[in-house]
Coordinates of all heavy atoms in Angstrom, one line a residue:
E291 N -20.8 -5.0 -3.2 CA -21.8 -5.8 -3.9 C -21.2 -7.2 -4.2 O -21.9 -8.2 -4.1 CB -22.2 -5.2 -5.2 CG -23.1 -4.0 -5.0 CD -23.3 -3.2 -6.4 OE1 -22.8 -3.8 -7.4 OE2 -23.8 -2.1 -6.3
K292 N -19.9 -7.3 -4.4 CA -19.2 -8.5 -4.8 C -18.5 -9.2 -3.6 O -17.8 -10.2 -3.7 CB -18.2 -8.3 -5.9 CG -18.9 -7.9 -7.2 CD -17.9 -7.7 -8.3 CE -18.5 -7.2 -9.6 NZ -19.4 -8.2 -10.2
G293 N -18.7 -8.6 -2.4 CA -18.2 -9.2 -1.2 C -16.8 -9.0 -0.8 O -16.2 -9.8 -0.1
F294 N -16.2 -7.9 -1.3 CA -14.8 -7.6 -0.9 C -14.7 -6.5 0.2 O -15.5 -5.7 0.3 CB -14.1 -7.1 -2.2 CG -13.8 -8.1 -3.2 CD1 -14.7 -8.3 -4.2 CD2 -12.7 -8.9 -3.2 CE1 -14.5 -9.3 -5.2 CE2 -12.4 -9.9 -4.2 CZ -13.4 -10.1 -5.2
K295 N -13.6 -6.6 0.9 CA -13.2 -5.6 1.8 C -12.0 -4.8 1.2 O -11.1 -5.4 0.6 CB -12.8 -6.1 3.2 CG -14.0 -6.7 4.0 CD -15.0 -5.6 4.3 CE -16.1 -6.2 5.2 NZ -17.1 -5.1 5.5
V296 N -12.1 -3.5 1.3 CA -11.2 -2.6 0.6 C -10.2 -1.9 1.6 O -10.7 -1.4 2.6 CB -11.9 -1.6 -0.3 CG1 -10.9 -0.6 -1.0 CG2 -12.8 -2.2 -1.3
N297 N -8.9 -1.9 1.2 CA -7.9 -1.1 1.9 C -7.3 -0.1 1.0 O -7.0 -0.5 -0.2 CB -6.8 -2.1 2.4 CG -7.4 -3.2 3.3 OD1 -7.4 -3.1 4.5 ND2 -7.8 -4.3 2.7
I298 N -7.2 1.1 1.4 CA -6.7 2.2 0.5 C -5.5 2.8 1.2 O -5.4 3.1 2.4 CB -7.8 3.3 0.4 CG1 -9.0 2.8 -0.4 CG2 -7.2 4.5 -0.4 CD1 -10.1 3.8 -0.6
T299 N -4.4 2.9 0.3 CA -3.2 3.7 0.7 C -3.2 5.0 0.0 O -3.2 5.0 -1.2 CB -2.0 2.8 0.5 OG1 -2.0 1.6 1.2 CG2 -0.7 3.6 0.8
T300 N -3.1 6.1 0.7 CA -3.2 7.4 0.1 C -2.2 8.4 0.8 O -1.8 8.2 1.9 CB -4.6 8.0 0.3 OG1 -4.6 9.3 -0.1 CG2 -5.0 7.9 1.8
N301 N -1.8 9.4 0.0 CA -1.0 10.4 0.6 C -1.8 11.4 1.5 O -1.2 12.2 2.2 CB -0.2 11.2 -0.4 CG -1.0 11.9 -1.5 OD1 -2.0 12.5 -1.2 ND2 -0.6 11.7 -2.8
G302 N -3.1 11.3 1.4 CA -4.0 12.1 2.3 C -4.3 13.5 1.9 O -5.1 14.2 2.5
T303 N -3.7 14.0 0.8 CA -3.9 15.4 0.4 C -5.3 15.6 -0.1 O -5.7 16.8 -0.1 CB -2.9 15.8 -0.7 OG1 -3.0 14.9 -1.8 CG2 -1.4 15.7 -0.1
L304 N -6.0 14.6 -0.6 CA -7.3 14.8 -1.2 C -8.4 14.2 -0.3 O -9.5 14.0 -0.7 CB -7.4 14.1 -2.5 CG -6.3 14.5 -3.5 CD1 -6.4 13.6 -4.8 CD2 -6.5 16.0 -3.9
I305 N -8.1 14.0 1.0 CA -9.1 13.3 1.9 C -10.3 14.2 2.1 O -11.5 13.6 2.1 CB -8.4 13.0 3.2 CG1 -9.3 12.0 4.0 CG2 -8.1 14.2 4.1 CD1 -9.5 10.7 3.3
T306 N -10.2 15.5 2.3 CA -11.4 16.3 2.5 C -12.3 16.3 1.3 O -13.5 16.2 1.3 CB -11.0 17.7 2.9 OG1 -10.3 17.6 4.1 CG2 -12.3 18.6 3.1
K307 N -11.7 16.4 0.1 CA -12.4 16.5 -1.2 C -13.2 15.2 -1.4 O -14.2 15.2 -2.0 CB -11.4 16.7 -2.3 CG -12.1 16.8 -3.7 CD -11.0 17.1 -4.8 CE -11.7 17.2 -6.1 NZ -10.7 17.4 -7.2
N308 N -12.7 14.1 -0.9 CA -13.3 12.8 -1.1 C -14.1 12.3 0.1 O -14.5 11.1 0.1 CB -12.2 11.7 -1.5 CG -11.7 11.9 -2.9 OD1 -12.3 11.4 -3.9 ND2 -10.6 12.6 -3.1
R309 N -14.3 13.1 1.1 CA -15.0 12.7 2.3 C -16.3 12.0 2.0 O -16.5 10.9 2.5 CB -15.2 13.9 3.2 CG -16.1 13.7 4.4 CD -16.5 15.0 5.0 NE -17.5 14.8 6.1 CZ -18.8 14.6 5.9 NH1 -19.3 14.7 4.7 NH2 -19.6 14.4 7.0
D310 N -17.1 12.6 1.2 CA -18.4 12.0 0.9 C -18.4 10.7 0.1 O -19.4 9.9 0.1 CB -19.3 13.0 0.2 CG -19.7 14.2 1.1 OD1 -19.5 14.1 2.4 OD2 -20.0 15.3 0.6
K311 N -17.3 10.5 -0.6 CA -17.2 9.3 -1.4 C -16.7 8.1 -0.5 O -16.8 6.9 -1.0 CB -16.2 9.5 -2.6 CG -16.7 10.4 -3.6 CD -15.7 10.5 -4.8 CE -16.2 11.4 -5.9 NZ -15.3 11.5 -7.1
L312 N -16.2 8.4 0.6 CA -15.6 7.4 1.5 C -16.5 7.1 2.7 O -16.6 5.9 3.1 CB -14.2 7.9 2.0 CG -13.1 8.0 0.9 CD1 -11.9 8.8 1.5 CD2 -12.7 6.7 0.4
L313 N -17.0 8.1 3.3 CA -17.8 7.8 4.5 C -19.1 7.0 4.2 O -19.7 7.2 3.2 CB -18.2 9.2 5.2 CG -17.1 10.0 5.8 CD1 -17.6 11.3 6.3 CD2 -16.4 9.2 6.9
G314 N -19.4 6.1 5.1 CA -20.6 5.3 4.9 C -20.5 4.1 3.9 O -21.5 3.5 3.6
K315 N -19.3 3.9 3.4 CA -19.1 2.8 2.5 C -18.7 1.5 3.2 O -17.6 1.4 3.8 CB -18.0 3.1 1.5 CG -18.3 4.3 0.6 CD -19.5 4.1 -0.3 CE -19.7 5.3 -1.2 NZ -21.0 5.1 -2.0
P316 N -19.6 0.5 3.2 CA -19.4 -0.7 4.0 C -18.2 -1.5 3.6 O -17.7 -2.3 4.3 CB -20.7 -1.4 3.9 CG -21.3 -0.9 2.7 CD -20.9 0.5 2.6
A317 N -17.8 -1.4 2.3 CA -16.6 -2.1 1.8 C -15.3 -1.7 2.4 O -14.3 -2.4 2.4 CB -16.6 -2.1 0.3
L318 N -15.3 -0.4 2.8 CA -14.0 0.2 3.2 C -13.6 -0.3 4.6 O -14.2 0.0 5.6 CB -14.1 1.7 3.2 CG -12.9 2.5 3.5 CD1 -11.8 2.2 2.4 CD2 -13.1 4.0 3.5
R319 N -12.5 -1.1 4.6 CA -12.0 -1.7 5.8 C -10.9 -0.9 6.5 O -10.9 -0.7 7.7 CB -11.5 -3.1 5.5 CG -10.7 -3.7 6.7 CD -10.1 -5.1 6.3 NE -9.3 -5.6 7.4 CZ -8.0 -5.4 7.6 NH1 -7.4 -4.6 6.8 NH2 -7.4 -5.9 8.6
Q320 N -10.0 -0.3 5.7 CA -8.8 0.4 6.3 C -8.3 1.4 5.3 O -8.3 1.2 4.1 CB -7.7 -0.6 6.6 CG -6.4 0.0 7.2 CD -5.5 -1.1 7.7 OE1 -5.9 -2.1 8.1 NE2 -4.2 -0.7 7.7
I321 N -7.8 2.5 5.9 CA -7.1 3.6 5.1 C -5.8 3.8 5.8 O -5.6 3.9 7.0 CB -7.9 4.9 5.1 CG1 -9.2 4.8 4.4 CG2 -7.0 6.0 4.4 CD1 -10.0 6.1 4.2
N322 N -4.7 3.7 4.9 CA -3.4 3.9 5.3 C -2.9 5.3 4.8 O -3.0 5.5 3.6 CB -2.4 2.9 4.8 CG -2.9 1.5 5.1 OD1 -3.2 1.2 6.3 ND2 -2.9 0.6 4.1
F323 N -2.6 6.2 5.7 CA -2.1 7.5 5.3 C -0.6 7.6 5.3 O 0.0 7.4 6.4 CB -2.7 8.6 6.3 CG -4.2 8.8 6.1 CD1 -5.1 8.3 7.1 CD2 -4.7 9.6 5.1 CE1 -6.4 8.5 7.0 CE2 -6.0 9.8 5.0 CZ -6.9 9.3 5.9
S324 N 0.0 7.8 4.2 CA 1.4 7.9 4.1 C 1.9 9.3 4.4 O 2.1 10.2 3.5 CB 1.9 7.5 2.7 OG 1.6 6.2 2.4
L325 N 2.0 9.6 5.7 CA 2.3 10.9 6.2 C 3.7 11.4 5.7 O 4.0 12.6 5.6 CB 2.2 11.0 7.7 CG 0.8 10.6 8.3 CD1 0.8 10.9 9.8 CD2 -0.3 11.4 7.6
H326 N 4.6 10.4 5.4 CA 5.9 10.8 5.0 C 5.9 11.5 3.6 O 6.9 12.0 3.1 CB 6.9 9.6 4.9 CG 6.3 8.4 4.3 ND1 5.4 7.6 4.9 CD2 6.4 7.9 3.0 CE1 5.0 6.6 4.1 NE2 5.6 6.8 3.0
S327 N 4.7 11.4 2.9 CA 4.6 12.1 1.6 C 4.7 13.6 1.7 O 5.2 14.2 0.7 CB 3.2 11.7 1.0 OG 3.0 10.4 0.9
F328 N 4.3 14.2 2.9 CA 4.4 15.6 3.0 C 5.8 16.1 2.8 O 6.1 17.0 2.0 CB 3.8 16.1 4.3 CG 3.7 17.6 4.4 CD1 2.6 18.3 4.0 CD2 4.8 18.4 4.9 CE1 2.5 19.6 4.0 CE2 4.7 19.7 5.0 CZ 3.6 20.4 4.5
D329 N 6.7 15.6 3.6 CA 8.1 16.0 3.5 C 8.8 15.4 2.2 O 9.8 16.0 1.8 CB 8.9 15.6 4.7 CG 8.5 16.4 6.0 OD1 8.1 17.5 5.8 OD2 8.6 15.8 7.1
G330 N 8.2 14.4 1.7 CA 8.8 13.7 0.5 C 8.6 14.5 -0.8 O 9.2 14.3 -1.8
H331 N 7.5 15.4 -0.7 CA 7.2 16.2 -1.9 C 7.7 17.6 -1.8 O 7.4 18.3 -0.9 CB 5.7 16.2 -2.1 CG 5.2 17.0 -3.2 ND1 5.4 16.7 -4.5 CD2 4.5 18.2 -3.2 CE1 4.9 17.6 -5.3 NE2 4.3 18.5 -4.5
P332 N 8.6 18.0 -2.7 CA 9.3 19.3 -2.6 C 8.3 20.5 -2.5 O 8.6 21.5 -1.9 CB 10.1 19.4 -3.8 CG 10.3 18.0 -4.2 CD 9.1 17.3 -3.9
G333 N 7.1 20.4 -3.1 CA 6.2 21.6 -3.1 C 5.2 21.6 -1.9 O 4.4 22.5 -1.9
S334 N 5.4 20.7 -1.0 CA 4.4 20.7 0.1 C 4.4 22.0 1.0 O 5.5 22.5 1.3 CB 4.7 19.5 1.0 OG 4.5 18.3 0.3
Q335 N 3.2 22.4 1.3 CA 3.1 23.6 2.2 C 2.0 23.4 3.2 O 1.1 22.6 3.0 CB 2.7 24.8 1.3 CG 3.8 25.2 0.3 CD 3.4 26.4 -0.5 OE1 2.2 26.9 -0.4 NE2 4.3 27.0 -1.3
D336 N 2.2 24.0 4.4 CA 1.2 24.0 5.5 C 1.0 22.6 6.0 O 0.0 21.9 5.9 CB -0.2 24.5 5.0 CG -1.2 24.7 6.1 OD1 -0.8 24.6 7.3 OD2 -2.4 24.8 5.8
K337 N 2.0 22.1 6.7 CA 2.0 20.8 7.3 C 0.9 20.6 8.3 O 0.2 19.6 8.4 CB 3.3 20.5 8.0 CG 3.4 19.1 8.6 CD 4.8 18.8 9.2 CE 5.9 18.7 8.2 NZ 7.2 18.3 8.8
A338 N 0.6 21.7 9.1 CA -0.4 21.6 10.1 C -1.8 21.5 9.5 O -2.6 20.7 9.9 CB -0.4 22.9 11.0
G339 N -2.0 22.2 8.4 CA -3.3 22.1 7.7 C -3.5 20.8 7.0 O -4.6 20.2 7.1
Y340 N -2.4 20.2 6.5 CA -2.4 18.9 5.8 C -2.8 17.8 6.9 O -3.8 17.1 6.6 CB -1.1 18.6 5.3 CG -0.7 17.2 5.0 CD1 -1.3 16.5 3.9 CD2 0.1 16.4 5.8 CE1 -1.0 15.2 3.6 CE2 0.4 15.1 5.6 CZ -0.2 14.5 4.5 OH 0.1 13.2 4.2
L341 N -2.2 17.8 8.0 CA -2.5 16.8 9.0 C -3.8 17.0 9.6 O -4.5 16.1 10.0 CB -1.4 16.8 10.1 CG -1.5 15.7 11.1 CD1 -1.4 14.3 10.4 CD2 -0.4 15.8 12.1
A342 N -4.2 18.3 9.8 CA -5.5 18.6 10.5 C -6.7 18.0 9.7 O -7.6 17.5 10.2 CB -5.7 20.1 10.6
Q343 N -6.6 18.1 8.3 CA -7.7 17.5 7.5 C -7.7 16.0 7.6 O -8.8 15.4 7.7 CB -7.5 17.9 6.0 CG -7.6 19.4 5.8 CD -7.6 19.7 4.3 OE1 -8.4 19.2 3.5 NE2 -6.7 20.5 3.9
I344 N -6.5 15.3 7.7 CA -6.5 13.9 7.9 C -7.0 13.5 9.2 O -7.8 12.5 9.3 CB -5.0 13.4 7.7 CG1 -4.6 13.6 6.2 CG2 -4.9 11.9 8.1 CD1 -3.1 13.3 6.0
L345 N -6.6 14.2 10.3 CA -7.1 13.9 11.6 C -8.6 14.1 11.7 O -9.3 13.3 12.4 CB -6.4 14.7 12.6 CG -4.9 14.4 12.8 CD1 -4.2 15.4 13.7 CD2 -4.6 13.0 13.2

Side-chain angles (χ1 to χ4, degrees):
E291 291 168 6
K292 296 182 182 294
F294 289 91
K295 289 297 183 181
V296 178
N297 303 266
I298 295 177
T299 297
T300 173
N301 59 45
T303 57
L304 304 173
I305 194 63
T306 300
K307 182 179 180 180
N308 284 277
R309 172 189 174 278
D310 293 338
K311 292 183 177 182
L312 296 167
L313 291 178
K315 296 298 184 183
L318 189 57
R319 172 185 175 271
Q320 179 169 333
I321 296 185
N322 306 311
F323 289 103
S324 298
L325 301 184
H326 48 278
S327 300
F328 186 90
D329 289 330
H331 177 67
S334 295
Q335 297 180 352
D336 188 15
K337 184 180 291 188
Y340 161 75
L341 187 59
Q343 292 188 59
I344 292 174
L345 294 175

